[in-house]
């Protein structure tokens, strides 16, 4: 696989996505204009988007794995997850109110987040490396937002759109990985008091630490390492739930406590 887009096209597509994200309007998936776009092109657009946000003063505080569950990968026709960057501007306090009028297709999903105490780097990062570098894990809700019209997209378009990153909320009870059997941690999501999804962390590549190792290796391909202090969201354990103003979402994790968030206009 290689780059097919020119530097000018990468800059133009990154700016199109940035505008869609900032002003919450939908755009056509990028592959309508560039049907031969490769994964390398998509990550080049995402990198340009990251640089644009950094120039505007946003701070990259970590990374996320997206499309981690088997059903979602099958739906997208891929056998690997995607990666996106997380910034300080996406973070929201636990139980805060998230406005949906500045999002396009908001959905909530629950994940296990890893806080790193030492640097991780590819190209051969393993699950064991991740566990050794992890200070603690904690539960999180990610609010994803695809910017593509009609919620129609493909893998390349999603990657360029920073894997639909929008907001995230961490909370619950931080715990050391040695005190947990990560794959067997169960989670239940409630929306307005009703259970809407449940699952076990093994849904994420068999073990969420595998997803973090996968991310580190993709980040290496983007020319970056992952510093100590990074916040790594390992990917959705259950399907994402569409949310609307007035909704209240709670993710209850076994051992790790719960995280909640509310939504308004
Ligand atoms: O975090 C994720 O799983 C990203 C999902 C990307 C596709 C979508 O917006 O549903
Ligand atoms: Mg996610």
């Amino acid at each position: 696989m290689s780059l097919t887009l020119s530097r000018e096209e990468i800059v133009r597509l990154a700016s199109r996505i940035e505008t869609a994200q900032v002003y919450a309007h939908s755009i056509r998936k990028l592959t309508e204009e560039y049907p031969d776009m490769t994964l390398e092109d998509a990550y080049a657009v995402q990198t340009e988007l990251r640089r644009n946000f950094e120039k505007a003063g946003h701070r990259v505080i970590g990374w996320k794995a997206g499309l981690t569950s088997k059903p979602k990968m099958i739906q997208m026709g891929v056998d690997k997850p995607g990666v996106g960057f997380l910034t300080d501007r996406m973070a929201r306090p636990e139980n805060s109110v998230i406005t949906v009028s500045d999002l396009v297709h908001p959905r909530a999903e629950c994940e296990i987040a890893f806080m790193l105490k030492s640097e991780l780097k590819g190209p051969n990062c393993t699950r064991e490396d991740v566990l050794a570098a992890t200070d603690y894990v904690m539960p999180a809700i990610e609010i994803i937002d695809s910017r593509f019209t009609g919620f129609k997209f493909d893998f390349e378009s999603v990657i360029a759109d920073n894997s639909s990153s929008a907001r995230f909320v961490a909370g619950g009870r931080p715990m050391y990985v040695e005190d947990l059997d990560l794959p067997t941690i169960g989670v239940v999501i409630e929306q307005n008091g009703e259970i809407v999804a449940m699952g076990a962390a093994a849904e994420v590549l068999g073990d969420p630490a595998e997803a973090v190792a996968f991310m580190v290796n993709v980040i290496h391909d983007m020319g970056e390492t992952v510093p100590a202090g990074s916040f790594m969201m390992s990917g959705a354990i259950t399907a994402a739930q569409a949310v609307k103003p007035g909704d209240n979402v709670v993710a209850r994790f076994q051992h790790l406590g719960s995280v909640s968030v509310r939504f308004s206009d």
Side-chain angles (χ1 to χ4, degrees):
M1 204 161 328
S2 56
L3 274 182
T4 67
L5 298 178
S6 67
R7 179 77 200 132
E8 290 68 32
E9 287 167 325
I10 289 167
V11 167
R12 191 164 56 78
L13 290 179
S15 145
R16 187 186 298 172
I17 287 179
E18 184 182 350
T19 307
Q21 292 191 1
V22 171
Y23 296 102
H25 66 70
S26 57
I27 53 175
R28 289 181 309 144
K29 59 182 183 174
L30 307 188
T31 46
E32 282 185 21
E33 189 181 350
Y34 293 101
D36 298 328
M37 190 173 165
T38 62
L39 196 52
E40 202 173 326
D41 291 322
Y43 276 115
V45 174
Q46 185 194 113
T47 301
E48 189 65 22
L49 180 69
R50 174 160 50 91
R51 300 264 148 77
N52 289 352
F53 282 127
E54 284 177 323
K55 273 185 224 145
H58 303 210
R59 198 164 49 85
V60 174
I61 52 98
W63 297 84
K64 60 160 273 188
L67 306 158
T68 41
S69 77
K70 254 285 137 340
K72 194 86 187 200
M73 281 192 225
I74 291 167
Q75 183 196 329
M76 301 292 290
V78 294
D79 60 359
K80 302 251 179 332
V83 174
F85 60 87
L86 300 173
T87 71
D88 55 344
R89 309 287 173 95
M90 299 176 189
R92 294 290 181 277
E94 186 173 11
N95 203 26
S96 58
V97 178
I98 291 185
T99 49
V100 293
S101 50
D102 51 5
L103 300 171
V104 182
H105 298 113
R107 285 168 189 248
E109 55 188 30
C110 59
E111 316 204 354
I112 293 178
F114 291 62
M115 183 57 83
L116 300 187
K117 61 183 174 194
S118 46
E119 183 190 49
L120 280 171
K121 45 175 136 179
N124 298 310
C125 180
T126 64
R127 170 184 167 278
E128 288 69 29
D129 297 331
V130 170
L131 295 177
T134 299
D135 193 358
Y136 54 84
V137 291
M138 64 196 302
I141 292 178
E142 182 181 22
I143 295 92
I144 51 173
D145 187 28
S146 175
R147 273 51 68 153
F148 297 113
T149 307
F151 199 60
K152 288 201 175 70
F153 45 68
D154 44 55
F155 196 55
E156 288 75 18
S157 299
V158 168
I159 296 296
D161 186 25
N162 195 22
S163 295
S164 301
S165 303
R167 311 276 184 267
F168 63 86
V169 178
R173 183 183 312 132
M175 284 187 71
Y176 296 119
V177 278
E178 47 275 25
D179 295 332
L180 292 165
D181 179 36
L182 280 174
T184 61
I185 293 177
V187 62
V188 170
I189 306 192
E190 290 172 17
Q191 189 163 5
N192 306 326
E194 287 195 11
I195 294 177
V196 289
M198 63 180 90
E203 291 290 336
V204 179
L205 304 189
D207 184 329
E210 290 288 1
V212 178
F214 173 82
M215 268 194 277
V216 172
N217 293 327
V218 172
I219 292 162
H220 167 85
D221 293 342
M222 288 192 257
E224 307 281 348
T225 61
V226 182
S230 293
F231 179 79
M232 307 294 280
M233 297 219 312
S234 59
I237 298 171
T238 69
Q241 309 299 317
V243 290
K244 57 181 187 327
D247 280 355
N248 181 26
V249 172
V250 183
R252 297 186 195 284
F253 287 74
Q254 194 183 10
H255 308 302
L256 294 169
S258 59
V259 193
S260 56
V261 66
R262 293 173 291 146
F263 295 90
S264 76
D265 269 326

